[in-house]
Short mmCIF file of all heavy atoms in Angstrom, two decimals:
data_model
loop_
_atom_site.label_atom_id
_atom_site.label_comp_id
_atom_site.label_asym_id
_atom_site.label_seq_id
_atom_site.Cartn_x
_atom_site.Cartn_y
_atom_site.Cartn_z
N PRO Z 144 -14.95 -13.52 6.05
CA PRO Z 144 -16.44 -13.36 6.12
C PRO Z 144 -16.82 -12.50 7.26
O PRO Z 144 -16.21 -12.75 8.49
CB PRO Z 144 -17.03 -14.79 6.22
CG PRO Z 144 -15.89 -15.59 5.68
CD PRO Z 144 -14.61 -14.91 6.00
N THR Z 145 -17.75 -11.58 7.17
CA THR Z 145 -18.23 -10.73 8.29
C THR Z 145 -19.54 -11.15 8.65
O THR Z 145 -20.49 -11.21 7.82
CB THR Z 145 -18.19 -9.26 7.87
OG1 THR Z 145 -16.97 -8.86 7.60
CG2 THR Z 145 -18.74 -8.41 8.97
N PHE Z 146 -19.80 -11.52 9.91
CA PHE Z 146 -21.09 -11.97 10.42
C PHE Z 146 -22.15 -10.85 10.28
O PHE Z 146 -21.88 -9.65 10.65
CB PHE Z 146 -21.03 -12.47 11.80
CG PHE Z 146 -22.42 -12.59 12.48
CD1 PHE Z 146 -23.04 -13.73 12.20
CD2 PHE Z 146 -22.84 -11.79 13.47
CE1 PHE Z 146 -24.28 -14.03 12.79
CE2 PHE Z 146 -24.13 -11.94 14.03
CZ PHE Z 146 -24.85 -13.11 13.70
N LEU Z 147 -23.34 -11.15 9.69
CA LEU Z 147 -24.39 -10.16 9.52
C LEU Z 147 -25.61 -10.49 10.49
O LEU Z 147 -25.88 -9.62 11.26
CB LEU Z 147 -24.85 -10.31 8.19
CG LEU Z 147 -24.23 -9.52 7.01
CD1 LEU Z 147 -24.87 -9.84 5.83
CD2 LEU Z 147 -24.20 -8.00 7.27
N ILE Z 148 -26.07 -11.60 10.44
CA ILE Z 148 -27.30 -11.86 11.14
C ILE Z 148 -27.48 -13.38 11.25
O ILE Z 148 -27.05 -14.13 10.36
CB ILE Z 148 -28.43 -11.12 10.50
CG1 ILE Z 148 -29.82 -11.31 11.29
CG2 ILE Z 148 -28.83 -11.87 9.05
CD1 ILE Z 148 -30.87 -10.35 10.78
N SER Z 149 -28.17 -13.85 12.27
CA SER Z 149 -28.40 -15.22 12.43
C SER Z 149 -29.88 -15.46 12.78
O SER Z 149 -30.58 -14.66 13.17
CB SER Z 149 -27.53 -15.84 13.45
OG SER Z 149 -27.72 -15.20 14.80
N ILE Z 150 -30.30 -16.75 12.74
CA ILE Z 150 -31.61 -17.18 13.12
C ILE Z 150 -31.56 -18.58 13.68
O ILE Z 150 -30.90 -19.48 13.04
CB ILE Z 150 -32.65 -16.98 12.06
CG1 ILE Z 150 -34.03 -17.20 12.48
CG2 ILE Z 150 -32.36 -17.93 10.80
CD1 ILE Z 150 -35.22 -16.75 11.55
N SER Z 151 -32.30 -18.85 14.74
CA SER Z 151 -32.47 -20.10 15.20
C SER Z 151 -33.65 -20.86 14.60
O SER Z 151 -34.54 -20.19 14.11
CB SER Z 151 -32.71 -20.05 16.73
OG SER Z 151 -33.20 -21.26 17.28
N SER Z 152 -33.61 -22.18 14.55
CA SER Z 152 -34.63 -22.97 13.89
C SER Z 152 -36.04 -22.81 14.62
O SER Z 152 -37.00 -23.22 13.99
CB SER Z 152 -34.21 -24.35 13.69
OG SER Z 152 -33.97 -24.88 14.96
N ILE Z 153 -35.99 -22.29 15.79
CA ILE Z 153 -37.29 -22.15 16.40
C ILE Z 153 -38.03 -20.89 16.12
O ILE Z 153 -39.10 -20.54 16.54
CB ILE Z 153 -37.02 -22.14 18.03
CG1 ILE Z 153 -36.23 -21.09 18.55
CG2 ILE Z 153 -36.54 -23.56 18.40
CD1 ILE Z 153 -36.22 -20.98 20.06
N LYS Z 154 -37.32 -20.04 15.27
CA LYS Z 154 -37.92 -18.83 14.89
C LYS Z 154 -38.17 -18.87 13.35
O LYS Z 154 -37.60 -19.69 12.62
CB LYS Z 154 -37.07 -17.66 15.20
CG LYS Z 154 -36.84 -17.40 16.68
CD LYS Z 154 -36.06 -16.06 16.95
CE LYS Z 154 -35.92 -15.78 18.34
NZ LYS Z 154 -35.30 -14.55 18.64
N ASP Z 155 -38.97 -17.92 12.87
CA ASP Z 155 -39.15 -17.85 11.43
C ASP Z 155 -38.73 -16.51 10.87
O ASP Z 155 -38.75 -16.32 9.57
CB ASP Z 155 -40.57 -18.09 10.99
CG ASP Z 155 -41.58 -17.21 11.64
OD1 ASP Z 155 -41.17 -16.24 12.18
OD2 ASP Z 155 -42.84 -17.63 11.75
N LYS Z 156 -38.39 -15.53 11.77
CA LYS Z 156 -37.92 -14.35 11.31
C LYS Z 156 -36.93 -13.66 12.32
O LYS Z 156 -37.19 -13.83 13.57
CB LYS Z 156 -39.15 -13.41 11.18
CG LYS Z 156 -38.78 -11.89 10.78
CD LYS Z 156 -40.14 -11.25 10.61
CE LYS Z 156 -39.91 -9.66 10.29
NZ LYS Z 156 -41.17 -8.82 10.18
N ASN Z 157 -35.93 -12.92 11.95
CA ASN Z 157 -35.07 -12.20 12.76
C ASN Z 157 -34.67 -10.97 11.95
O ASN Z 157 -34.31 -10.99 10.82
CB ASN Z 157 -33.89 -12.93 13.20
CG ASN Z 157 -33.17 -12.34 14.23
OD1 ASN Z 157 -33.50 -11.45 15.04
ND2 ASN Z 157 -31.81 -12.49 14.35
#
Side-chain angles (χ1 to χ4, degrees):
Chain Z
T145 300
F146 170 73
L147 275 178
I148 191 168
S149 62
I150 188 166
S151 163
S152 60
I153 63 173
K154 296 187 175 182
D155 55 18
K156 178 182 174 182
N157 189 26

